[in-house]
Amino acid sequence: MHSNHLLLEEPIRMASILEPSKSNFFPAMTKIVGTLGPRSRSVDVISGCLNAGMSVARFDFSWGDADYHQETLENLRTAIKKTRKLCAVMLDTVGPELQVVNKSGKAISLEVDGIVTLTPDQGQEASSQVLPINFDGLSKVVKKGDTIFIGQYLFTGSETTSVWLEVDEVKDEDVLCVIKNSTTLAGSLFTLHASQIHIDLPTLSAQDREVISTWGVENKIDFLSLSYTRHAEDVREAREFLSKLGDLSQTHIFAKIENVEGLTHFDEILQEADGIILSRGNLGIDLPPEKVFLFQKAAMHKCNMAGKPAVITRVVDSMTDNLRPTRAEATDVANAVLDGTDAILLGAETLRGLYPVECISIVGKICAESEKVFNQDLYFKKTVKFVGEPMTHLESIASTAVRAAIKVKASVIICFTSSGRAARLIAKYRPTMPVLSVVIPRLKTNQLKWSFSGAFEARQSLIVRGLFPMLADPRHPAESTNATNESVLKVALDHGKASGVVKSHDRVVVCQKVGDASVVKIIELED
């Protein structure tokens, strides 16, 4: 592969740049995760978010109690029924997050070159001189010259609500720091990040375990975002904890990489996790700014080759208060798509931002434009080469389906799957057309009652680029006869027609199991 190989296919014609963007049924193949909070928890706003393209709703337990989040979730369910758009639920743990305890909630102003003391004594009042914190081990792990960041939403670039401190002296349990920039800390919650320092706290805190085993189980969460994942062991522990909870044994664990420690063990973490969230906010301050694009590209590539979803955060910070992103942010979203990201995660932008719906809509449009010029051909070759030979049965079917679809210019790939794995593998080869993943429910029993699996599997594809799930009717056990397979296919095609993805004379590639054999077939639609 030559380094001068253009990332984009063919010279981009200026004419296509000047044409207005077309609206599509699938606004973009890249998915959008929205964090629901104060500005985005009414049925109306959530409905707007779903219509604009949000397919996963994130509940961040760093703030707000279970009742608050439950209320939001009930509103989400109402909005799903109202808009008829599927949406998955992600629970984000707090993890070993260090926080400043500001009981009075008063704003705290800090002056450059002044000294402020960080103390584990939470009985003290937060002030310009003293900041009480929720961790008593800080003095044992930092030394003179170390860097500490504190803020409501750490350093976004245009951020004036964060402070950068340099450790000056450690006195017993207190840490005295020199203030490097003047700022006013305002708001209820300030997180503290000690750059490149190992904080000896469990990845799943007692509070996290409590929330998962109550709120998480009650609501059968689809995804667990494991904050501050530092080792593969963290993921294994979380998996063991979930499997003991019965109902959550199918929940997918996304390892959230937030510091250098997580990057150091990235390969092992990727093997254990179901997906990766690159928390660029924290990574961006744990590492020097010039390294940000590098870890993003390297991590994306590894996730893509493993066929596991990659999600990035902190893309349009400025939209928290503005109706338009900056030029740099718009370019950044596009580059993430060209790098191979599966989903874009919005935090503050939807949680407390003024324009949650517009934000999702704009991010979706940028993704759609970048997908048009994504160099699928090069990506496909790289992936096939990386997978190597002999290929597993499933990989071979998946790559064949995508190749056939591209060669015959199919408008959609329809994949029958019960676990969702086959559909995810097809998405791994990044076809240029949407993949309708028809999840065939399986009848299962726990000795007490019969139930159908399938809803979990369908929702879990809502974070994978290019995958659009639909549940087949469980009254047709599709394994039984070919005739029922045909009827399910007809339903899928009707769905495709109704949504405008498929029209007459289009070609469609179908991937399904018939008996023990996997079949890839090309069908041409009549009028």
Side-chain angles (χ1 to χ4, degrees):
M1 199 182 125
H2 303 299
S3 53
N4 63 359
H5 191 303
L6 253 183
L7 189 65
L8 307 175
E9 283 287 79
E10 63 174 311
I12 298 181
R13 294 176 303 284
M14 276 298 162
S16 72
I17 296 173
L18 302 173
E19 267 167 25
S21 314
K22 289 193 292 292
S23 72
N24 248 340
F25 170 72
F26 297 124
M29 308 273 268
T30 306
K31 301 304 174 68
I32 298 173
V33 182
T35 305
L36 302 186
R39 302 301 301 246
S40 53
R41 58 192 300 255
S42 68
V43 175
D44 280 356
V45 175
I46 298 176
S47 300
C49 291
L50 292 170
N51 282 326
M54 171 179 87
S55 64
V56 180
R58 171 174 169 260
F59 292 80
D60 184 356
F61 275 81
S62 302
W63 59 278
D65 57 16
D67 293 342
Y68 181 90
H69 288 301
Q70 190 60 41
E71 209 172 291
T72 308
L73 182 53
E74 298 305 335
N75 288 349
L76 169 66
R77 288 181 176 142
T78 308
I80 290 172
K81 288 197 179 83
K82 198 171 130 182
T83 58
R84 302 183 60 105
K85 302 259 187 222
L86 277 176
C87 186
V89 171
M90 174 183 280
L91 187 162
D92 200 325
T93 62
V94 183
E97 183 172 85
L98 307 187
Q99 299 176 348
V100 170
V101 183
N102 179 12
K103 292 203 175 94
S104 70
K106 284 204 287 275
I108 299 160
S109 61
L110 300 169
E111 291 297 320
V112 67
D113 295 334
I115 294 274
V116 66
T117 302
L118 306 179
T119 178
D121 175 6
Q122 296 185 24
Q124 294 200 46
E125 187 79 17
S127 69
S128 306
Q129 288 78 44
V130 178
L131 296 174
I133 59 172
N134 67 345
F135 176 53
D136 53 15
L138 193 66
S139 59
K140 299 185 193 65
V141 290
V142 296
K143 58 184 187 312
K144 191 177 167 64
D146 281 343
T147 302
I148 292 176
F149 296 101
I150 293 178
Q152 184 182 15
Y153 206 64
L154 297 170
F155 283 97
T156 62
S158 61
E159 184 66 284
T160 50
T161 62
S162 295
V163 68
W164 167 20
L165 307 173
E166 190 178 293
V167 176
D168 187 48
E169 187 191 343
V170 176
K171 240 189 192 162
D172 301 326
E173 296 214 305
D174 293 353
V175 178
L176 281 63
C177 305
V178 179
I179 300 166
K180 306 295 276 187
N181 65 300
S182 298
T183 192
T184 299
L185 296 178
S188 53
L189 174 75
F190 312 119
T191 53
L192 180 152
H193 185 95
S195 189
Q196 306 216 11
I197 283 162
H198 173 78
I199 300 297
D200 201 13
L201 285 171
T203 303
L204 265 187
S205 66
Q207 182 197 349
D208 289 331
R209 287 171 186 266
E210 170 65 18
V211 165
I212 295 167
S213 52
T214 53
W215 194 89
V217 169
E218 275 159 43
N219 297 303
K220 290 198 168 65
I221 52 166
D222 302 298
F223 300 110
L224 178 73
S225 153
L226 192 60
S227 295
Y228 296 95
T229 303
R230 296 165 286 184
H231 300 270
E233 192 47 46
D234 294 341
V235 185
R236 279 194 288 271
E237 272 177 28
R239 178 114 35 220
E240 205 170 304
F241 179 64
L242 289 182
S243 63
K244 287 204 181 94
L245 294 171
D247 274 351
L248 298 188
S249 55
Q250 284 178 283
T251 297
H252 279 183
I253 298 177
F254 274 54
K256 201 166 171 200
I257 308 291
E258 324 208 28
N259 52 24
V260 169
E261 218 176 327
L263 280 183
T264 312
H265 304 113
F266 188 84
D267 292 354
E268 305 95 274
I269 291 172
L270 177 60
Q271 269 188 316
E272 287 294 329
D274 296 301
I276 295 284
I277 297 173
L278 281 182
S279 177
R280 301 192 313 170
N282 282 350
L283 275 169
I285 52 179
D286 214 39
L287 281 160
E290 65 273 20
K291 300 283 191 190
V292 172
F293 83 100
L294 269 176
F295 72 69
Q296 177 174 317
K297 283 186 185 303
M300 287 290 167
H301 176 69
K302 288 181 166 177
C303 292
N304 289 167
M305 294 303 117
K308 289 185 177 180
V311 182
I312 69 159
T313 69
R314 297 298 286 277
V315 288
V316 284
D317 289 327
S318 72
M319 281 197 78
T320 308
D321 311 302
N322 298 299
L323 201 44
R324 280 181 81 112
T326 65
R327 271 73 54 205
E329 289 170 335
T331 306
D332 181 33
V333 173
N335 279 325
V337 173
L338 297 173
D339 284 348
T341 189
D342 282 83
I344 305 270
L345 188 152
L346 302 172
E349 302 99 321
T350 54
L351 173 105
R352 60 183 173 84
L354 306 180
Y355 308 103
V357 178
E358 291 83 351
C359 184
I360 291 169
S361 164
I362 287 175
V363 167
K365 282 182 184 146
I366 300 169
C367 292
E369 287 293 328
S370 353
E371 287 155 11
K372 286 183 198 162
V373 292
F374 181 75
N375 191 335
Q376 203 283 332
D377 190 44
L378 182 68
Y379 179 91
F380 187 88
K381 289 192 179 101
K382 265 199 323 210
T383 313
V384 169
K385 191 174 166 194
F386 180 88
V387 171
E389 286 169 5
M391 266 190 179
T392 63
H393 181 90
L394 267 179
E395 288 268 6
S396 145
I397 293 287
S399 54
T400 304
V402 173
R403 218 176 129 214
I406 285 166
K407 294 277 187 244
V408 304
K409 293 195 164 40
S411 52
V412 65
I413 298 174
I414 295 179
C415 172
F416 291 87
T417 172
S418 50
S419 68
R421 232 181 96 217
R424 277 200 300 276
L425 263 189
I426 289 178
K428 168 178 173 176
Y429 288 90
R430 293 284 184 260
T432 47
M433 63 292 294
V435 180
L436 279 186
S437 111
V438 182
V439 180
I440 306 293
R442 283 198 186 135
L443 201 52
K444 54 177 204 216
T445 174
N446 60 1
Q447 269 70 55
L448 292 171
K449 59 177 197 282
W450 288 92
S451 65
F452 283 107
S453 73
F456 250 119
E457 292 80 355
R459 287 193 303 267
Q460 281 167 341
S461 57
L462 290 168
I463 204 164
V464 182
R465 176 146 142 198
L467 267 197
F468 298 91
M470 53 178 286
L471 259 172
D473 187 336
R475 284 178 306 227
H476 302 303
E479 286 86 41
S480 57
T481 65
N482 212 13
T484 48
N485 246 339
E486 290 305 313
S487 69
V488 175
L489 177 57
K490 188 180 173 313
V491 174
L493 286 171
D494 289 344
H495 178 72
K497 283 177 200 154
S499 52
V501 200
V502 192
K503 40 192 196 313
S504 46
H505 303 297
D506 274 2
R507 288 174 177 162
V508 172
V509 168
V510 181
C511 188
Q512 65 193 117
K513 263 190 132 146
V514 177
D516 292 336
S518 300
V519 181
V520 172
K521 61 182 180 185
I522 300 164
I523 53 181
E524 195 160 326
L525 301 185
E526 285 131 35
D527 293 328

